[in-house]
Amino acid sequence: MQEAISLGREGMTKNGGGPFGAVVVCDGKMVGRGYNQVTTLLDPTAHAEIIAIREACRSLGRFALNGCELYTSCEPCPMCLAAIYWARLDRVYYACTRHDAAEIGFDDDFIYEQLPLEIAARSLPMEQIEREHSLDLFREWMAKPDKVPY
């Protein structure tokens, strides 16, 4: 956890974004590190956890991080939490909470509140279109003999 906090401080000092750092550990070894780089990369997805997951996947040469743990300086936002599930990490350790983050201007809680709402009740307008065309694509995926499931 100390490395995650140190990375958060490093990123903050470099004006990369907020004070967030994360590390992925596999078999007791750090295989991925990251700090928030939203403002330097001009990428709203460049959160510490995402950067650390990407580096860990490259380091290990796989897209699933079973057998790995994530240490992060703050409770993951909904985007990072989804990425953690997709990466199949075994466990997450976090320091500050999303409520602590809200107190310094990072209100991830808004997204957490939006997720359980019905699509029509969310503040972001969403409209379903072209379902049939996309279903064709899904059928092609199901029939693809050389697909790599994940």
Side-chain angles (χ1 to χ4, degrees), residues 32-84:
R33 293 174 172 82
Y35 56 79
N36 189 294
Q37 297 182 56
V38 168
T39 59
T40 51
L41 295 180
L42 305 177
D43 179 354
T45 69
H47 289 199
E49 297 90 340
I50 301 294
I51 303 287
I53 287 169
R54 289 175 181 164
E55 185 176 293
C57 289
R58 281 191 301 273
S59 295
L60 297 172
R62 54 189 167 114
F63 58 81
L65 297 176
N66 306 79
C68 300
E69 300 169 332
L70 177 81
Y71 292 80
T72 180
S73 62
C74 188
E75 179 181 0
C77 75
M79 175 187 69
C80 292
L81 183 59
I84 289 162

Side-chain angles (χ1 to χ4, degrees), residues 9 20 32 40 52 56 64 67 69-70 75 77 86 92 94 97 100 104 107 115 125-128 133 140:
R9 184 170 285 111
F20 306 106
T40 51
E69 300 169 332
L70 177 81
E75 179 181 0
C77 75
W86 279 115
V92 175
Y94 64 93
T97 68
D100 295 328
I104 62 166
D107 198 3
L115 290 175
M126 294 177 68
E127 180 181 348
Q128 183 180 25
H133 288 110
E140 290 173 36

